[in-house]
Amino acid sequence: MKLIEAANYEEMSQKAAEIIIAQVKEKPDAVLGLATGSTMLGTYKQLVEDHRQNGTSYRNVRTVNLDEYIGLSPDHPNSYRYYMNQHLFSHIDIPLSQTYLPNGVSDDVEAECQRYEQLIENLGGIDLQLLGIGRNGHIGFNEPGTSFSTPTHVVELAPSTRQANARFFPSLEDVPHQAITMGIATILKSRHILLLAAGTAKAPIMAKLFEGTVTIDMPASVLHTHPNVTVIADQEALSLVP
Ligand code: F6R
């Protein structure tokens, strides 16, 4: 696991964007695994800025997102499809037909999970997977206790995760109880994984990550078993790492 330290959120976002841009330049039809949440906003802003100023093209890039809420349609302002369109896809030159997220309103969510897993395989696998980290150590929506061998699956969201995400919804009751997420096995098949963390809220879990113990009680700890992981974290997120 390679650690890149950043002074602050801005610098973390800049460094993350540089790695993504380098990946797209090296392989114009790269498959990018994307994430949502607050951590990624600065990175997407940098990508949009770079696209505008330097013309980096995403015309042949394919993207697969980690997860989507069950029950929210693509045009729901809290769906992850909506987030991706709003913060990235509608500002760069990627055809929307090359951007994929799990379908949260599928009639058959189990079949949807299998379809999504197969889709990633058919695209040739993920070249670069972007990850945030939950305060409980989740990656994607793989909550503590999730087996490391799970493919894309349906999850019940932990109360703490619903609570953490409630800030985006009118009230806690409006936060969906379930989501579809790439599994840990899906994430581990990525050729390069880039985990981002910023802010003091992430300091305790980052300290735990760097303790190095691999356990299903802390999903992100599985990243120690992957040969090509880069972590970019700001000083606040690293403040409790000895
Ligand atoms: C989002 C995702 C989640 C977030 C994590 C951190 O697609 O899969 O694992 O990355 O919950 O969220 P933020 O960045 O909002 O702290």
Side-chain angles (χ1 to χ4, degrees):
M1 190 177 277
K2 180 182 164 195
L3 172 64
I4 299 175
E5 299 186 36
N8 50 35
Y9 180 80
E10 185 77 12
E11 196 179 299
M12 175 201 74
S13 305
Q14 180 68 46
K15 287 175 186 287
E18 280 167 15
I19 292 177
I20 297 166
I21 293 163
Q23 170 69 75
V24 169
K25 287 196 167 144
E26 184 195 318
K27 187 178 176 189
D29 63 347
V31 176
L32 300 180
L34 300 177
T36 61
S38 311
T39 312
M40 302 301 150
L41 289 172
T43 304
Y44 295 152
K45 217 169 139 204
Q46 296 282 349
L47 293 181
V48 170
E49 196 64 24
D50 164 76
H51 171 71
R52 285 195 181 131
Q53 288 189 358
N54 307 317
T56 303
S57 178
Y58 296 82
R59 211 165 302 132
N60 297 311
V61 165
R62 285 81 47 81
T63 67
V64 282
N65 263 77
L66 280 169
D67 40 22
E68 178 62 284
Y69 288 117
I70 289 180
L72 300 193
S73 62
D75 59 356
H76 189 290
N78 287 117
S79 73
Y80 286 169
R81 159 57 77 182
Y82 192 92
Y83 170 110
M84 290 310 303
N85 287 355
Q86 198 188 18
H87 295 293
L88 184 64
F89 300 150
S90 55
H91 307 288
I92 58 175
D93 62 345
I94 192 165
L96 277 184
S97 58
Q98 287 162 210
T99 66
Y100 304 95
L101 285 92
N103 177 6
V105 288
S106 165
D107 289 340
D108 184 343
V109 286
E110 295 299 337
E112 173 60 12
C113 292
Q114 286 178 27
R115 184 197 70 85
Y116 200 69
E117 189 74 20
Q118 189 61 50
L119 167 84
I120 295 170
E121 211 158 307
N122 293 349
L123 291 172
I126 298 166
D127 291 299
L128 177 63
Q129 177 66 54
L130 207 49
L131 293 180
I133 183 169
R135 278 175 263 179
N136 62 2
H138 72 224
I139 48 175
F141 272 133
N142 295 284
E143 302 286 13
T146 309
S147 155
F148 290 163
S149 57
T150 45
T152 300
H153 63 292
V154 173
V155 280
E156 296 292 328
L157 300 182
S160 62
T161 299
R162 292 187 63 243
Q163 193 88 52
N165 290 2
R167 66 191 191 278
F168 300 115
F169 289 82
S171 74
L172 179 61
E173 289 72 56
D174 294 301
V175 184
H177 287 264
Q178 291 182 311
I180 295 176
T181 183
M182 283 187 200
I184 291 177
T186 324
I187 293 169
L188 289 181
K189 282 188 205 160
S190 311
R191 289 181 271 280
H192 183 190
I193 295 174
L194 181 57
L195 180 127
L196 308 185
T200 50
K202 300 293 168 67
I205 201 67
M206 291 305 281
K208 212 164 172 189
L209 177 65
F210 284 105
E211 269 171 24
T213 312
V214 178
T215 162
I216 63 167
D217 296 333
M218 210 293 237
S221 69
V222 77
L223 299 176
H224 288 292
T225 68
H226 189 282
N228 192 11
V229 175
T230 305
V231 176
I232 309 180
D234 74 356
Q235 270 175 12
E236 287 186 351
L238 294 173
S239 57
L240 297 177
V241 176

Coordinates of all heavy atoms in Angstrom, one line a residue, residues 34-40 65-67 80 131-134 138-141 165 167-168 202, ligand 1:
L34 N -15.8 4.3 -10.3 CA -16.0 5.6 -9.7 C -16.8 5.4 -8.4 O -17.5 4.4 -8.2 CB -16.7 6.5 -10.6 CG -15.9 6.8 -11.9 CD1 -16.7 7.7 -12.9 CD2 -14.5 7.4 -11.6
A35 N -16.7 6.4 -7.6 CA -17.4 6.5 -6.3 C -18.1 7.8 -6.1 O -17.9 8.7 -6.9 CB -16.4 6.3 -5.1
T36 N -19.1 7.9 -5.2 CA -19.8 9.1 -4.9 C -19.4 9.6 -3.5 O -18.4 9.1 -3.0 CB -21.3 8.9 -5.0 OG1 -21.7 7.9 -4.1 CG2 -21.7 8.5 -6.4
G37 N -20.1 10.5 -3.0 CA -19.8 11.0 -1.6 C -19.1 12.3 -1.6 O -18.7 12.8 -2.7
S38 N -18.9 12.9 -0.4 CA -18.3 14.2 -0.3 C -16.8 14.1 -0.7 O -16.3 15.1 -1.3 CB -18.3 14.7 1.1 OG -19.6 14.5 1.6
T39 N -16.1 13.0 -0.4 CA -14.7 12.9 -0.6 C -14.3 13.1 -2.1 O -13.3 13.7 -2.4 CB -14.2 11.6 -0.2 OG1 -14.7 11.3 1.1 CG2 -12.6 11.5 -0.2
M40 N -15.2 12.7 -3.0 CA -14.9 12.7 -4.4 C -15.2 14.0 -5.1 O -14.7 14.2 -6.3 CB -15.7 11.6 -5.2 CG -15.5 10.2 -4.6 SD -13.7 9.8 -4.7 CE -13.6 8.6 -3.3
N65 N -19.7 2.5 -11.7 CA -19.8 3.0 -10.3 C -19.9 1.9 -9.3 O -20.4 0.8 -9.6 CB -20.9 4.0 -10.1 CG -20.5 5.4 -10.2 OD1 -20.3 5.9 -11.3 ND2 -20.3 6.1 -9.1
L66 N -19.4 2.2 -8.1 CA -19.4 1.2 -7.0 C -20.8 0.7 -6.6 O -21.0 -0.5 -6.3 CB -18.8 1.8 -5.8 CG -17.3 1.8 -5.6 CD1 -16.9 2.7 -4.5 CD2 -16.7 0.4 -5.5
D67 N -21.7 1.7 -6.5 CA -23.0 1.4 -5.9 C -24.1 2.3 -6.3 O -23.9 3.3 -6.9 CB -22.8 1.4 -4.3 CG -21.9 2.5 -3.9 OD1 -21.8 3.5 -4.6 OD2 -21.3 2.4 -2.8
Y80 N -27.3 7.9 -7.1 CA -25.9 8.1 -7.4 C -25.7 8.4 -8.9 O -24.8 9.0 -9.3 CB -25.1 6.9 -7.0 CG -24.9 6.9 -5.5 CD1 -24.4 5.7 -4.8 CD2 -25.1 8.0 -4.7 CE1 -24.1 5.7 -3.5 CE2 -24.9 8.0 -3.3 CZ -24.4 6.8 -2.7 OH -24.2 6.8 -1.3
L131 N -11.9 4.8 -4.5 CA -12.7 4.4 -3.3 C -12.6 5.5 -2.2 O -11.6 6.1 -2.0 CB -12.1 3.2 -2.6 CG -12.1 1.8 -3.2 CD1 -11.4 0.8 -2.3 CD2 -13.5 1.4 -3.6
G132 N -13.8 5.7 -1.6 CA -13.8 6.5 -0.3 C -13.8 5.5 0.8 O -13.8 4.3 0.5
I133 N -13.8 6.0 2.0 CA -13.9 5.0 3.1 C -14.9 5.5 4.1 O -15.0 6.7 4.4 CB -12.5 4.8 3.8 CG1 -12.5 3.8 4.9 CG2 -11.9 6.2 4.3 CD1 -11.1 3.4 5.5
G134 N -15.8 4.6 4.6 CA -16.8 5.0 5.6 C -16.1 5.1 7.0 O -15.0 4.5 7.2
H138 N -16.2 0.9 5.8 CA -16.8 0.3 4.6 C -16.2 0.8 3.4 O -15.7 2.0 3.3 CB -18.4 0.5 4.6 CG -18.9 1.8 4.4 ND1 -19.9 2.4 5.1 CD2 -18.5 2.8 3.5 CE1 -20.2 3.6 4.6 NE2 -19.4 3.9 3.6
I139 N -16.2 0.0 2.4 CA -15.7 0.4 1.0 C -16.9 0.0 0.1 O -17.4 -1.1 0.2 CB -14.4 -0.2 0.6 CG1 -14.3 -1.7 0.8 CG2 -13.2 0.5 1.3 CD1 -13.0 -2.4 0.3
G140 N -17.2 0.9 -0.9 CA -18.5 0.7 -1.5 C -19.5 0.7 -0.4 O -19.4 1.5 0.6
F141 N -20.5 -0.1 -0.4 CA -21.4 -0.3 0.7 C -21.2 -1.6 1.4 O -22.1 -2.2 1.9 CB -22.9 -0.1 0.3 CG -23.3 1.3 0.3 CD1 -24.1 1.8 -0.8 CD2 -23.1 2.1 1.3 CE1 -24.5 3.1 -0.8 CE2 -23.6 3.5 1.3 CZ -24.3 3.9 0.3
N165 N -25.3 9.4 5.8 CA -25.7 9.9 4.5 C -27.0 10.7 4.6 O -27.4 11.3 3.6 CB -25.9 8.7 3.6 CG -24.6 8.1 3.2 OD1 -23.6 8.5 3.7 ND2 -24.6 7.0 2.4
R167 N -27.5 13.5 5.7 CA -27.3 15.0 5.4 C -27.7 15.3 4.0 O -28.0 16.5 3.7 CB -25.8 15.3 5.7 CG -24.8 14.7 4.8 CD -23.4 15.0 5.3 NE -22.3 14.6 4.4 CZ -21.8 13.4 4.2 NH1 -22.4 12.4 4.9 NH2 -20.8 13.2 3.4
F168 N -27.7 14.3 3.1 CA -28.1 14.6 1.7 C -29.6 14.5 1.5 O -30.1 14.9 0.4 CB -27.4 13.7 0.8 CG -25.9 13.7 0.9 CD1 -25.2 12.6 1.3 CD2 -25.2 14.9 0.5 CE1 -23.8 12.7 1.4 CE2 -23.8 14.9 0.6 CZ -23.1 13.9 1.0
K202 N -12.4 11.1 9.5 CA -11.8 9.8 9.0 C -10.6 9.4 9.7 O -10.0 8.4 9.5 CB -11.5 9.9 7.5 CG -12.8 10.2 6.6 CD -13.8 9.1 6.6 CE -15.1 9.5 6.0 NZ -15.1 9.8 4.6
Ligands
F6R1 C1 -19.8 6.0 -2.4 C2 -19.4 4.8 -1.5 C3 -19.0 5.0 -0.1 C4 -18.3 6.3 0.2 C5 -18.0 6.4 1.7 C6 -17.4 7.7 2.1 O1 -20.1 5.5 -3.7 O2 -19.3 3.8 -2.0 O3 -18.2 3.9 0.3 O4 -17.1 6.4 -0.5 O5 -19.2 6.3 2.4 O6 -18.3 8.8 1.9 P1 -17.9 10.3 2.0 O7 -16.9 10.6 0.9 O8 -19.2 11.1 1.8 O9 -17.3 10.5 3.4

